[in-house]
Amino acid sequence: MAKPVRPWRSLWLQEALALEEDDGETLRQKLRADVCVVGGGYTGLWTAIRVKELEPAAEVVLIEGDICGGGPSGRNGGFTLSWWPKIETLIERVGEEEAFWLAHVSQEAVAEIGAFCDFEGIDAHFVQNGWLWTATSPAQLGSWAGTVQAAERRGARPFEILTGEEVQARTGSPLHLGAAFEAGAAKVQPALLARGLRRAALARGVRVFERSPLIELRRGEGVVRTPAGRVHADAVVLALGASLARYREVRRAIVPLSSDMVATEPMPECLEQSGWTGGECVSNCRLMVHYYRTTADGRVTFGRGGGRLAFDGRVSPKFDYNRRQTRELKRELPWLVPAARDVKVTHAWGGPIDRTTDGLPFFGTLAGRGRIVYGAGFSGNGVAPSLTAGKILASSALGRDDEWSRCGLNRGVPGKFPPEPIRFVGGLVVRSAVRRKERREDRGRRVDPLTRKLAAFAPAGFFRVNR
């Protein structure tokens, strides 16, 4: 059965949809395509656009169960980051030479998104004002040291180290004790970007069908079936995010984990008085990271990763909005952003993110006679990397032998979580320990040895999200 459209829309998506009159088209027929893309988020849309760039005559069909941008692409924090913060993990995954190539590619992708928006006339509020990776407790100080040193070994210096006084002056918050600043990072209004990519895909001849969920994939025939139609394609691209966990080959490679956000009413005068006027994105070094930024109309959006876990990859509607998480975010907001004290919170939303064991995405091919390729596992950093993902998936779908199809991330599942119920129960235990540990560290208190030991079981990519 088709999934109902999710009722809890983000601030971003509410703003974007208010500017549109196009209701979109639902698939109600049988079609033939060279490539069928399943998923209307950033990854699926960039893939469809890339296929048309490589082969303009190709018949490309994209189906989306909700609306384009209705998933993580329309509800994230809009942080447009490179892979430099994950350079050590990249080296472990693909080796040093390719890791640095991918880091540079991801850095270029940030600027490429801005250039694409300019060329296409997409007003996604792209601003390249940088990202502050901060310490908000003594335990977090220097968390970026290994990353900075790994980059500098090859002559790369994407980060500038700031003192506590410097980062406090930039953010208006005395809680920040230091930071690594990545000047090349940017931010966007995420739903405006997603909806703009949809228009760009349509303009290139991609046939886009929304409210057309995948209900069956016939691998041997290359047939994608929806409630009222189907597509027979030479190649199928699965850009499903956390929902990719429905396929047994990748089920244990990703864990759907929620991330939640709130947004204040416009407060430009408060921001001006606080000194947070540079437009930087900010996130701290917690595992259950806080991430926050300002908007074009002077709001503050504020989020936290590491919320609800999904048993066996089953994502329920409770991932879209949770009252408890919202109450906690409202309490934590003025602690980290003093300027927001006594300012009304007007929006709250959430949703699942696809996490991997190391926090990096992976790409591969499902077994079957047809060419079925997939990508998932952005682990909370997907805005800019999704552009690279589109290049990898497009080359794979078209059967090309190039630097993208040969990419070290395109080798299937890199690591697996334990089977259920161990994964779910263990995740709850570890999450609880991480919460206790970080709350005590936030208050400058001692962490008991058992809590510290349990929290250490959290994989690098399990809770962290830099949106």
Side-chain angles (χ1 to χ4, degrees):
M1 294 178 62
K3 289 183 179 180
V5 175
R6 295 174 175 175
W8 291 97
R9 295 298 195 195
S10 67
L11 162 69
W12 315 120
L13 204 50
Q14 291 181 37
E15 289 180 344
L17 295 178
L19 301 174
E20 296 184 8
E21 297 180 357
D22 178 13
D23 289 334
E25 187 179 359
T26 299
L27 182 62
R28 301 185 185 279
Q29 57 190 303
K30 297 178 182 179
L31 295 176
R32 186 73 177 79
D34 296 302
V35 179
C36 178
V37 178
V38 184
Y42 296 144
T43 299
L45 289 163
W46 281 123
T47 300
I49 290 169
R50 177 68 172 178
V51 169
K52 293 296 284 187
E53 288 177 353
L54 294 173
E55 297 189 13
E59 291 290 336
V60 182
V61 173
L62 183 148
I63 67 166
E64 161 60 40
D66 185 9
I67 61 173
C68 291
S73 297
R75 62 169 178 258
N76 65 80
F79 287 35
T80 310
L81 309 181
S82 73
W83 275 327
W84 280 116
K86 298 182 178 181
I87 185 62
E88 293 176 288
T89 308
L90 271 172
I91 292 171
E92 291 177 8
R93 174 85 79 87
V94 301
E96 187 163 307
E97 194 70 31
E98 185 161 7
F100 277 85
W101 173 69
L102 284 168
H104 284 289
V105 161
S106 70
Q107 184 176 357
E108 293 165 1
V110 176
E112 190 175 340
I113 289 172
F116 186 89
C117 288
D118 285 343
F119 182 78
E120 296 290 331
I122 299 172
D123 183 12
H125 303 175
F126 178 91
V127 182
Q128 201 163 5
N129 284 350
W131 167 55
L132 288 164
W133 186 13
T134 78
T136 51
S137 74
Q140 297 171 25
L141 270 173
S143 296
W144 46 78
T147 298
V148 172
Q149 291 167 9
E152 289 182 345
R153 283 200 304 268
R154 295 286 294 261
R157 290 178 174 78
F159 298 102
E160 174 190 357
I161 305 304
L162 303 180
T163 65
E165 291 78 9
E166 290 170 325
V167 71
Q168 287 166 21
R170 288 194 182 207
T171 62
S173 173
L175 205 64
H176 298 290
L177 306 178
F181 177 61
E182 186 179 9
K187 65 183 179 184
V188 295
Q189 203 281 27
L192 287 175
L193 176 59
R195 301 302 291 178
L197 291 176
R198 173 184 176 272
R199 292 192 298 274
L202 287 167
R204 286 161 171 75
V206 177
R207 300 195 66 180
V208 177
F209 297 95
E210 298 174 289
R211 299 182 178 87
S212 303
L214 167 68
I215 60 173
E216 183 185 15
L217 172 61
R218 299 176 186 170
R219 301 192 192 190
E221 305 167 53
V223 171
V224 171
R225 194 164 69 86
T226 70
R230 70 180 188 181
V231 183
H232 187 186
D234 295 332
V236 176
V237 177
L238 299 176
L240 295 168
S243 295
L244 194 68
R246 72 173 73 176
Y247 297 101
R248 56 179 173 77
E249 294 97 327
V250 298
R251 185 168 298 142
R252 286 178 51 194
I254 55 176
V255 169
L257 186 69
S258 76
S259 186
D260 301 273
M261 294 195 73
V262 295
T264 69
E265 63 186 351
M267 45 175 280
E269 296 85 2
C270 297
L271 292 171
E272 183 74 28
Q273 293 170 7
S274 76
W276 188 15
T277 58
E280 306 95 336
C281 300
V282 186
S283 58
N284 57 17
C285 295
R286 291 166 114 243
L287 272 175
M288 291 187 173
V289 66
H290 294 103
Y291 55 99
Y292 35 110
R293 48 145 315 168
T294 56
T295 68
D297 60 351
R299 300 175 189 263
V300 171
T301 61
F302 180 82
R304 186 185 64 196
R308 297 165 299 289
L309 291 164
F311 179 80
D312 200 27
R314 300 170 192 165
V315 178
S316 69
K318 72 177 183 179
F319 273 78
D320 294 328
Y321 172 79
N322 183 275
R323 286 184 173 83
R324 175 184 169 185
Q325 299 291 333
T326 298
R327 287 195 302 269
E328 292 180 359
L329 285 172
K330 287 180 178 179
R331 287 197 300 268
E332 293 168 348
L333 170 61
W335 173 60
L336 285 158
V337 187
R341 195 178 306 278
D342 301 323
V343 175
K344 183 180 179 181
V345 169
T346 57
H347 297 76
W349 65 93
I353 291 170
D354 44 327
R355 305 301 182 89
T356 60
T357 57
D358 65 2
L360 288 170
F362 61 94
F363 307 86
T365 304
L366 291 184
R369 282 184 292 178
R371 187 182 299 131
I372 303 170
V373 301
Y374 62 82
F378 293 96
S379 302
N381 178 19
V383 180
S386 63
L387 173 56
T388 301
K391 295 175 181 179
I392 294 170
L393 291 170
S395 288
S396 297
L398 294 172
R400 292 188 166 223
D401 182 17
D402 59 20
E403 60 185 349
W404 303 109
S405 64
R406 294 193 301 269
C407 170
L409 298 176
N410 193 25
R411 296 173 183 167
V413 172
K416 295 182 179 180
F417 291 101
E420 297 292 13
I422 297 172
R423 178 174 63 181
F424 182 73
V425 175
L428 292 177
V429 172
V430 172
R431 183 185 65 179
S432 178
V434 169
R435 281 179 172 171
R436 290 196 306 274
K437 173 180 176 290
E438 295 189 327
R439 283 173 180 169
R440 295 190 71 81
E441 289 173 345
D442 290 341
R443 292 163 175 77
R445 297 177 181 175
R446 176 181 171 273
V447 179
D448 64 274
L450 178 59
T451 295
R452 190 176 296 279
K453 186 174 182 178
L454 288 171
F457 282 103
F462 197 72
F463 295 117
R464 188 177 300 284
V465 51
N466 289 321
R467 302 292 291 192

